[in-house]
Amino acid sequence: MEKKNYKFWFVAGSQFLYGEETLKRVEADCKIIVDALNKSGRLPFEIIYRDTVKTSDGAEKIIKNANYDDDCAGIITFCHTFSPSKMWINALASLQKPWLHFHTQFNRTIPNEEIDMDYMNLHQGAHGDREHGFIGARLRKPRKVIMGHWQDEDIQLRIAKWMKSAAAAAFSRELKVMRFGDNMREVAVTEGDKVEVQLKLGWEVNTWPVGALVEKMNEVSDSEIDALMEEYHALYDFNTDDIETVRYQAREEIAIKKMMDSENCLAFSNTFQDLYGMKQLPGIATQDLMRQGYGYGGEGDWKVAALTAVMKFMGEHSAFMEDYTYDLENGISLGAHMLEVCPSLAAEKPKVEVHPLGIGDREDPARLVFEGKAGKGIVASLVDMGGRLRLIVQDIECIKPTQSMPNLPVARVMWKPAPNLATGAECWILAGGAHHTVLSYDCDAEMMRDFARIMDIEFVHINKNTTPEELEKELFLFDIAWKLKN
Ligand code: MN
């Protein structure tokens, strides 16, 4: 999936008090910083030096332009010198883009011989950025603050992560979700207020008839299927002779993709309870679409479908997931789904297999079977609390599956949740986290927290320090705070 060429605007803060020479130095230094960040090779998008703010009008003009520029995914401010913050009030009050306050300094250390009052007047981020920080706090503007030297790798990587979250916000505001059928009957957690979701996250969630998909499937030609089968053969090992069944999945994939592409949708949901006219529940069809970056949610779960697309935008090794069953002795959760686990999680080349499906009454569907990779990750869940959305993120450690499970006919991932299985599950359940999640190796809690802040939704993080007692208090206080806030 092609990523839009988002830009980030670097805006320095200063004033006319210091004279032309100092202002020239400020601009030159900021350009060096921007150049070095771009050349680090660590940033996912380009930063553009825009200007040094010296007046209220100047600040307002830049921010208004940023607001109206679709390619601008956020602003980064730094006060090399002191920039009196009343001149930023009108500008920041109207800011609609994500904001990173980068609290840095041109020089890493204090040069003993060189330092005099001229030096002090130029290198004063230490107090210039405090004035800037105050006005951010006073205006209650959501913002990210990162402090450290601009040449440091860890600082550049943190900026890179924030940029991914900020760009994901822009991506999210343009995201369209295609629903085939409604939610699985009687399920609560997959429901939600689509008006609130569109207002906060930008997601346009609409439905199309399964019958229209079946018509589209019937139009797919043999040569289109041949071409996709060639891709399947290149990407996956075939562990079945039932080629017709796999070809039927290819037909489904081509038709779903055509329908999504014609409506500019980057995520979809369907349900095994509404497959009217379809012979198989999409298995590989859905898995191979997720590999390409499309979001997906089973059982009509359009929230997790859209969240999957957003998290895949932030980091490709992200996938729709479901907690299925536990190993209580070893503190492990086994995650899988009926069929639809994304091959971006695979530790090995996925195998194409055909097995009966215990649920529903359709033909045996072809699916990809594999083991998930080991490594650090998160699981994330978005739930509708009635009046607001809550994003719950839990740190996890994925492990190589401890058993071979030769009779399990689906892809599987095993992980140890933080702080441990029992406490982690207690906290997850207290917070109302769904059984459907997005599992990601590439996104972390800081990125998701940044995303939640930008989108103005509640964020709950279950980590190595979380206890049910503290979480219960936090949830109680958050609930009151969000009711007052919205
Ligand atoms: Mn499910």
Side-chain angles (χ1 to χ4, degrees), residues 140-170:
R140 274 85 175 165
K141 273 307 220 189
R143 69 233 199 265
K144 175 80 172 178
V145 183
I146 294 179
M147 195 280 180
H149 197 251
W150 47 279
Q151 287 175 314
D152 288 350
E153 180 181 347
D154 63 324
I155 293 302
Q156 292 172 352
L157 289 173
R158 285 187 71 203
I159 293 171
K161 286 203 301 179
W162 173 81
M163 288 169 92
K164 285 179 193 171
S165 301

Side-chain angles (χ1 to χ4, degrees), residues 215-471:
E215 280 173 20
K216 195 58 106 185
M217 282 167 53
N218 292 337
E219 291 166 13
V220 174
S221 70
D222 280 345
S223 61
E224 287 174 295
I225 294 173
D226 291 343
L228 186 53
M229 286 295 287
E230 244 174 72
E231 275 188 48
Y232 287 174
H233 277 285
L235 291 163
Y236 314 124
D237 284 332
F238 275 59
N239 206 11
T240 178
D241 299 324
D242 188 355
I243 296 303
E244 278 315 304
T245 293
V246 185
R247 287 182 70 86
Y248 190 81
Q249 289 282 331
R251 180 183 293 281
E252 290 180 329
E253 174 174 344
I254 292 161
I256 295 169
K257 187 172 186 314
K258 278 184 185 171
M259 281 191 69
M260 278 201 286
D261 291 353
S262 71
E263 298 290 342
N264 290 319
C265 292
L266 293 176
F268 74 108
S269 64
N270 64 355
T271 166
F272 65 92
Q273 285 175 333
D274 190 355
L275 295 174
Y276 200 83
M278 294 172 79
K279 290 184 199 162
Q280 299 175 26
L281 178 65
I284 301 180
T286 297
Q287 293 173 292
D288 197 56
L289 285 165
M290 284 191 279
R291 176 189 63 76
Q292 295 162 58
Y294 292 97
Y296 172 77
E299 289 101 55
D301 193 342
W302 49 270
K303 293 201 301 301
V304 84
L307 187 63
T308 303
V310 169
M311 289 174 68
K312 277 180 172 293
F313 177 89
M314 289 195 228
E316 62 176 311
H317 301 98
S318 306
F320 169 58
M321 186 49 66
E322 180 170 284
D323 285 82
Y324 237 103
T325 198
Y326 293 139
D327 175 346
L328 287 165
E329 197 164 296
N330 297 298
I332 296 166
S333 190
L334 169 63
H337 204 256
M338 284 196 294
L339 302 171
E340 311 92 342
V341 183
C342 175
S344 71
L345 306 184
E348 54 191 358
K349 198 171 183 185
K351 292 184 204 66
V352 179
E353 298 187 7
V354 176
H355 300 280
L357 192 64
I359 295 171
D361 55 353
R362 303 280 145 168
E363 291 179 4
D364 303 352
R367 79 288 307 272
L368 299 170
V369 180
F370 56 85
E371 280 189 354
K373 281 180 294 198
K376 278 196 188 319
I378 55 167
V379 283
S381 169
L382 183 73
V383 295
D384 188 326
M385 294 300 293
R388 75 173 185 284
L389 299 160
R390 172 182 286 167
L391 180 64
I392 304 155
V393 170
Q394 182 170 39
D395 296 336
I396 61 168
E397 180 79 40
C398 295
I399 58 167
K400 180 176 167 44
T402 49
Q403 288 148 291
S404 63
M405 300 174 281
N407 293 313
L408 184 68
V410 289
R412 69 295 301 268
V413 185
M414 274 188 171
W415 64 85
K416 295 185 172 185
N420 55 64
L421 177 66
T423 308
E426 286 174 12
C427 291
W428 188 269
I429 284 169
L430 279 173
H435 57 284
H436 283 168
T437 59
V438 183
L439 185 150
S440 178
Y441 295 103
D442 295 340
C443 302
D444 66 13
E446 184 178 10
M447 291 163 77
M448 299 308 290
R449 182 188 296 278
D450 290 347
F451 178 76
R453 184 193 315 107
I454 293 166
M455 305 321 264
D456 190 28
I457 61 170
E458 184 186 352
F459 180 76
V460 175
H461 182 203
I462 301 167
N463 56 60
K464 64 180 191 323
N465 300 318
T466 308
T467 64
E469 293 79 9
E470 285 304 310
L471 182 68

